[in-house]
Amino acid sequence: MTSRHPPESSDDEQIKHLQDLHKALQESTAIDKLPIADIKQDAPHLVTAEEVELDRMEAYLRGPTAFTA
């Protein structure tokens, strides 16, 4: 069985394809030029013992039970 090679394309076709690709990439909007929405972050705060206890109780209630094991 003989091996099959893809048909050879001319250098002009390859150059035109690369030029079209380069032009398309230059015309497209760069990701760094897109507008970015301002994200407001919550101000840091100290956690109270009551919040910690509530978190522990929620984690316990969400944990594995006899029904999920």
Side-chain angles (χ1 to χ4, degrees):
M1 202 188 257
T2 61
S3 61
R4 294 175 36 186
H5 298 288
E8 291 188 23
S9 62
S10 68
D11 288 337
D12 293 337
E13 288 178 23
Q14 289 180 353
I15 290 172
K16 183 173 178 351
H17 177 69
L18 289 175
Q19 287 174 343
D20 291 342
L21 179 64
H22 182 70
K23 182 179 175 184
L25 289 174
Q26 283 184 339
E27 289 176 355
S28 66
T29 304
I31 191 95
D32 59 344
K33 294 180 182 177
L34 292 175
I36 299 173
D38 291 333
I39 300 173
K40 296 182 180 180
Q41 296 181 351
D42 294 336
H45 67 282
L46 296 176
V47 180
T48 63
E50 182 178 312
E51 290 175 329
V52 172
E53 188 63 28
L54 289 175
D55 287 343
R56 289 179 64 209
M57 285 190 282
E58 286 179 17
Y60 174 75
L61 293 174
R62 289 185 190 152
T65 63
F67 300 105
T68 61

